Every structure is written in C-alpha cells, then in structure tokens.
Amino acid sequence: MTFDWKGRLEGVYGAFPEAQSKPVIGITANYDDSKSMLAEGYYKKVVAAGGVPLLIPPMDDTDTIINTLERIDALILSGGGDYNPLFCGEEPSTRLHSINGERDLPELLITRLAYNRQIPMMGICRGIQTLAMALGGTVRQDIGDTEGLIKHSQDAHRSVPTHSVSVCDDSVLHHIYGSRTLYVNSFHHQAVGEPGDKFRVVARSCDGVVEAMESTEMKSIIGVQWHPECIDDGLPLFKWLVAEAADYHAACNMHNRILTLDTHCDTPMFFADSVRFDRRDPKLLVDLHKMTDGRQDSTIMVAYLPQPKKDETFRQNVRFDVNGQKEYADLIFDKIENIVSENSQYLALARTPGQLWENKHHGQKSIMLGIENGLALEGDIANIRHFADRGVVYITLCHNGDNDICDSARGNNTHNGVSDFGAKVIGEMNRLGVMVDLSHAHEKSFWDAMDISATPIVCSHSSCRALCDHPRNLTDSQMKALADKGGVCQITIYHGFLRTEGEATVRDVLEHLDHAVKVMGIDHVGIGTDFDGDGGVRGMASSADFVNFTRMLMAKRYNEKDIQAILGGNFLRVMADIQKKRQ
C-alpha cells in the first residue's frame, strides 16, 4: 500500500492527461438499516469492464429518476431482498422471506423508464425479478426445494460456483460465453415465473428454474439469476453491458447531431378516439413521449382518406361528421395544428427542411403535413394550391383502390395508369412544389408518373418486391428508375410488405433497406414507418425504437453520413429541391 497520495495527485496534474471517455453504468443500491449501500463486486466489475459506476439510491421521485437516466448509458439492477407480492396483485405465501419495501417502487419505476428510453440493462438475482415485475412477467415467491435437485441458496462462499445452467444456442448469453453450460453461484429463493412477452428464457437449471432471460425485441436487456459480480467468470457479462452502453451513448450523441425524419405516420387515424399526443398514450405508436424516448426529431403526419368501394360513400368510411374529402383533410390538419398549439414548448409545425433544423435547435419536435390519397382534391386542381398553402409537403396519389387520378396497386385498372386528370394533377404539384408520392400506385401508374413529372418522385412508405412479392412493393427496375430521376424510396415497416410468411421483425426492415441501398445507392433510401397505420414490427415497434434502429445501422457499419441520409437527409434533399421550383 502507498500513502503518497500527493505524489499521485502531482502525477495527474503534471501531464494534463485527457480523461478517456467511458460509459456511465448506473447501479441500483441496496437498502438496509437506514443506509443505501452496494457490495463491492458490482462497481469493481464495472470498472474492470471499462465503465464508470454510478450508485443510484432507492428513491421514487420521478424527477430524480428521469434526471438520473439522462446521465447514464446503462443500468444494473442489483441483488437484494424479496419483492412485496402485492406489487403483482398476490398475497404473501407462508414461505416468503423478508421483503425490502424501500427498493420496490423506485426500482420498478426506474426499470420501466429505462426500458422506454432504450437504455441497456442487466438484472442480477433480484434484478432479473425486477425486470419481470416491471415489464409484464411474474415472480415465484418461493421456489423451495420441492424438485429435490438443487439447493438454490448455497452455503459456500459467494465466489464459488455450485451448480450449472443450460444456455440456449441462439441467445446473446451463448454469444457472450460461447458455451451451452455455465457454472454459477446461487443465493435466492424467489425466481422468475413467466418472463412475459418482452423476454424469453435463455437459461435454466436442471430443475427447470429460470436462470436467465433476454429481450425478445432486440433490445440490450439481460437478466441472470446468479451473481456474476462475485465470481471470476462474471466479467464477460459486465463487458457486454459496458460495450452496449458505449454503443447506446454513441447513438444518442449521433442523434444530437443529425436530424431524424419518419416520412409517413398515420396517427390522425386515432384522433376520433380522443387520444392525447402529449401523453404516453397506449393507443399510439407516435406521441410526444415516444418521439422523445427514441430521440426522433420529426414526422410527416398524413391525412389518410380511405377509398370508398363501389356503392359506398366517403362519409361511411370516416368517423367525423364531414360533407366531403377536402373538408375531412382540413379537419385533420386543424386538429394537428391544435395539438401543436397546445404543446408549443415541445412541438412545432414545419414546411421546409430548414424549419425542421430550426425547430430542433430550439428543442422542439416537428410535424410536417402530408395527404394519403389524392381523393382529398375532390377532382379540383385548385385544391392543390389550397393544400400547398396549408403546408402539405406531399400527396400520395392514391390508396387501396383506383381514384380519379390514377390506378392503385390494389385497384381494377380503371385508367390503365394515370388518368388525364391525374396528369394535370402531377403538373400542378410540380409547379407548386408539392412532392409526388407513388406509394400505393399501380406499376403502370408509376411508369406514367415517372414520364409526366418534371421533378423527382418519392415513395414515402414502400418496400422491395424482390424480398416480398407484394404489388405494393417496388421492383428493382422501379427503384433504379426512381433513383435515376433523383427520387427516394422510404422502406416501410408494415409486416405484410416485409415478408410473405412468418413474423416480420426489424431484421427484415434492415434487409429491405440493405437491398434498396444495393439497387439504388445510399443517396436514395430512407424510412417511412407507417406507424399508427398498422406499421410496426418487433424491434421497431414505435417511435421510441428509433435510437435502437440507429444502433443497428451502426452495427452494420453504416457511417454517420449514411445514417443521416437514411434517417431523413435524402428525403429532405429531394423536398428542398422540389420546393425551390415552386411558382
């Protein structure tokens, strides 16, 4: 031991070293006898793994929790006493041990808020139970020794592994350790019962007790029932968490520098349900809180007009008392403007790319306006100027059904492509600086519009037919032509346009994106989620997932310039070019 602390201080000051930036790992502290405390293994393992530990006392003040989460890059939910079963609606069993009520509510709150913010997490012993309790799973109050195979509360020293667990081959845990069998220590009698739909079990002991679980949503969350901070073989888990924290920190910093735009969301479809955009509304995939969680800057919110079928009226398909399509679109835009006005501290309208950047500079999220289905024009060319003056940046020419402008991919070939009226619509949109959007258009309508339009064409929410054979998707030839004309294809996150069989996930979104980049080049692709219009898949389920999506792009070795292009830059370049031509 050295007592020359002044010499150590001189060494620090003498060289003026620049401290290496390291991810900050928050660790929930235990509580006992009016003291907040933490076993040394947690913070020493974090330091050994390359992180900076920050101890978090058990406080249920939400402002304190939120401010703490703003300053950490990952969260460790530490071990400790039992959970009060009342938090999951159960009465205590006779075998329940002592609970630690001081920790329960604070840790359930911080876990849920960290989950909303996509912060990487690791739960240890009590911590895996915290993950389950907070995120839809259940906890067994006492596993006992009824199976008669394993003693789950060992007498040996905490550093000694005393039983084995079997690990799933396709798990992150297996990737970390490269083994199907791990030897672990055990100091518990509560355990996860059911993981819930946000997790899957990836390790069990031989008596079937859940020993580890991880996210089913491609999020950086792992829970383990043992105490890796106490054993020599525990460091890899901490290194995994610190690496995930570094990636999260880098993605968040990137979002501070770039501008992110989702080019198509259908949130107004829920306006008739009295939703609250300023709250974390469970009905919505896009609201102010979710945009903030995902560090998403802006979205193009559309007035969607359902195409009436034969013998139907438009009024039969909407839930507001309106006389016509134009009135309906105006009503939707009025409601968007009211939402913005009521939340002007945090939210603003934008009509140009420059206004998006200005709003970001002032700490505001942005909404742009779009129209999905040229039915809103009511057959009157003059209405294009009306909507252009309202700030509409694009009009999707049709939806699921032919209209008076063009044939739809799901229509009846009424015009054999773009109608004579449709040609005039495209010309007027060109003249007034409104983007022509061909998502939903029939292939013949696409090629007609490409010939007619004097400005680049966009597809605000379309995917690749080569990967998912759906008439709504674009062929490689269409994508190449779109790029040659200077336009963009925004990959959509609607499951039926991503794969024909099985569950679509964010991995399918990335495959479609990669394919579009290969066909069109990096300067002609982007993302149009179709959130709140049945868009959303596991791993990219709401606006809250945007920062995680950025992490996935970084993992695929897209650089910052590429990511800015994909997450809005390409679409905004085209928008700016078209708006410059407005007469």
Side-chain angles (χ1 to χ4, degrees):
M1 179 180 292
T2 176
F3 294 93
D4 184 17
W5 67 272
K6 292 182 179 178
R8 179 73 177 271
L9 190 63
E10 287 298 322
V12 172
Y13 286 155
F16 286 101
E18 185 173 329
Q20 179 184 356
S21 178
K22 296 181 178 181
V24 177
I25 314 299
I27 312 171
T28 59
N30 206 340
Y31 186 87
D32 187 40
D33 193 25
S34 300
K35 297 182 182 68
S36 185
M37 62 194 76
L38 189 72
E40 65 177 359
Y42 291 102
Y43 57 82
K44 287 188 174 181
K45 278 288 197 298
V46 167
V47 172
V52 175
L54 174 70
L55 273 61
I56 302 173
M59 297 183 65
D60 60 12
D61 179 74
T62 52
D63 284 343
T64 299
I65 293 173
I66 290 170
N67 276 276
T68 300
L69 293 175
E70 288 296 319
R71 289 160 173 81
I72 66 173
D73 304 306
L75 176 65
I76 293 175
L77 301 162
S78 66
D82 292 348
Y83 263 99
N84 187 333
L86 295 178
F87 276 105
C88 55
E90 297 180 3
E91 294 296 331
S93 78
T94 57
R95 305 180 69 173
L96 181 68
H97 292 213
S98 59
I99 63 173
N100 194 328
E102 191 74 20
R103 296 181 65 180
D104 289 356
L105 180 58
E107 291 189 6
L108 292 172
L109 289 173
I110 199 170
T111 300
R112 185 70 207 194
L113 290 169
Y115 170 85
N116 290 341
R117 286 159 175 74
Q118 321 303 309
I119 295 174
M121 286 189 278
M122 178 165 66
I124 294 175
C125 198
R126 170 189 162 97
I128 187 176
Q129 296 148 29
T130 305
L131 289 171
M133 290 273 284
L135 298 171
T138 62
V139 171
R140 297 168 63 179
Q141 292 186 41
D142 192 299
I143 59 174
D145 59 356
T146 55
E147 292 85 355
L149 296 175
I150 292 179
K151 183 178 181 180
H152 283 279
S153 186
Q154 68 189 52
D155 297 321
H157 190 270
R158 300 178 76 86
S159 63
V160 178
T162 60
H163 77 271
S164 65
V165 300
S166 299
V167 180
C168 296
D169 287 347
D170 60 344
S171 65
V172 174
L173 192 61
H174 184 272
H175 176 75
I176 292 170
Y177 283 98
S179 175
R180 296 180 180 178
T181 303
L182 298 179
Y183 297 95
V184 302
N185 52 5
S186 189
F187 303 92
H188 67 101
H189 62 276
Q190 281 191 330
V192 171
E194 294 296 331
D197 63 358
K198 292 179 173 59
F199 294 101
R200 68 182 185 116
V201 175
V202 295
R204 292 183 185 271
S205 52
C206 63
D207 56 4
V209 170
V210 174
E211 293 282 353
M213 66 183 191
E214 63 190 39
S215 172
T216 59
E217 303 171 311
M218 283 67 88
K219 299 181 188 295
S220 301
I221 310 177
I222 283 181
V224 297
Q225 186 60 72
W226 63 92
H227 281 268
E229 80 280 6
C230 297
I231 56 179
D232 291 340
D233 203 26
L235 187 58
L237 272 169
F238 287 85
K239 286 186 173 180
W240 169 83
L241 185 67
V242 169
E244 297 298 307
D247 289 347
Y248 173 77
H249 183 85
C252 290
N253 278 348
M254 185 183 295
H255 274 243
N256 291 336
R257 297 186 296 268
I258 68 175
L259 193 145
T260 52
L261 170 69
D262 172 9
T263 60
H264 188 93
C265 85
D266 281 296
T267 306
M269 289 177 65
F270 288 87
F271 284 174
D273 295 327
S274 300
V275 293
R276 290 289 301 271
F277 192 79
D278 60 331
R279 302 288 179 91
R280 193 182 302 280
D281 197 307
K283 296 177 183 176
L284 299 180
L285 301 185
V286 183
D287 60 35
L288 195 53
H289 284 269
K290 296 181 183 75
M291 290 180 72
T292 301
D293 291 340
R295 298 171 185 263
Q296 177 189 343
D297 297 307
S298 52
T299 186
I300 300 179
M301 201 172 281
V302 300
Y304 158 67
L305 287 84
Q307 185 68 34
K309 297 177 182 178
K310 187 179 180 181
D311 300 325
E312 282 185 341
T313 65
F314 176 76
R315 177 66 186 83
Q316 290 175 283
N317 288 283
V318 295
R319 295 165 61 190
F320 290 106
D321 185 15
V322 292
N323 294 317
Q325 299 94 295
K326 176 176 174 289
E327 182 184 351
Y328 177 78
D330 278 328
L331 174 67
I332 294 299
F333 297 146
D334 289 344
K335 289 184 177 295
I336 293 172
E337 289 174 355
N338 288 339
I339 288 171
V340 170
S341 177
E342 292 166 0
N343 300 279
S344 58
Q345 181 180 352
Y346 309 105
L347 197 59
L349 288 171
R351 298 184 176 205
T352 68
Q355 288 174 348
L356 291 178
W357 280 105
E358 185 177 350
N359 293 343
K360 181 179 175 77
H361 177 73
H362 288 107
Q364 295 168 303
K365 305 298 183 185
S366 295
I367 295 177
M368 287 183 146
L369 306 181
I371 290 175
E372 187 173 24
N373 197 349
L375 193 68
L377 301 179
E378 292 186 338
D380 187 349
I381 291 288
N383 283 331
I384 299 174
R385 179 171 289 280
H386 167 79
F387 287 119
D389 289 345
R390 286 216 67 163
V392 167
V393 296
Y394 71 67
I395 298 175
T396 312
L397 296 189
C398 63
H399 194 252
N400 289 340
D402 303 342
N403 60 17
D404 56 359
I405 296 172
C406 68
D407 294 337
S408 163
R410 301 293 294 273
N412 299 306
N413 198 29
T414 302
H415 310 288
N416 190 31
V418 174
S419 70
D420 291 341
F421 172 68
K424 294 176 183 178
V425 167
I426 292 171
E428 186 70 355
M429 290 173 67
N430 289 169
R431 193 175 73 82
L432 295 177
V434 179
M435 304 169 87
V436 176
D437 176 22
L438 291 178
S439 290
H440 288 285
H442 188 278
E443 192 167 349
K444 180 60 165 58
S445 299
F446 174 93
W447 292 113
D448 285 353
M450 291 291 289
D451 290 338
I452 296 166
S453 181
T455 63
I457 297 288
V458 302
C459 289
S460 67
H461 57 302
S462 296
S463 293
C464 308
R465 201 179 302 183
L467 301 185
C468 179
D469 189 10
H470 191 288
R472 260 282 279 113
N473 286 341
L474 299 178
T475 66
D476 286 2
S477 296
Q478 287 176 290
M479 289 193 292
K480 288 175 183 176
L482 200 62
D484 288 343
K485 197 178 179 73
V488 289
C489 170
Q490 305 292 107
I491 300 300
T492 195
I493 305 182
Y494 179 74
H495 57 91
F497 304 152
L498 293 172
R499 63 184 307 141
T500 55
E501 296 180 355
E503 180 194 11
T505 72
V506 67
R507 294 188 180 95
D508 296 288
V509 180
L510 292 167
E511 285 185 17
H512 279 257
L513 181 67
D514 288 343
H515 182 80
V517 169
K518 181 179 178 181
V519 172
M520 305 176 72
I522 191 66
D523 294 327
H524 300 280
V525 296
I527 297 293
T529 64
D530 213 4
F531 284 156
D532 290 323
D534 285 336
V537 296
R538 193 182 296 270
M540 189 63 172
S542 75
S543 286
D545 285 324
F546 256 87
V547 72
N548 257 359
F549 189 71
T550 297
R551 289 185 58 193
M552 294 176 191
L553 294 176
M554 294 168 66
K556 292 178 73 67
R557 300 296 186 264
Y558 284 107
N559 60 37
E560 183 168 330
K561 181 181 176 182
D562 294 340
I563 292 172
Q564 170 63 101
I566 292 167
L567 296 184
N570 291 333
F571 197 88
L572 293 175
R573 181 193 68 246
V574 178
M575 182 188 296
D577 181 53
I578 290 172
Q579 289 180 345
K580 286 177 185 176
K581 295 178 171 62
R582 176 168 182 169
Q583 298 177 19

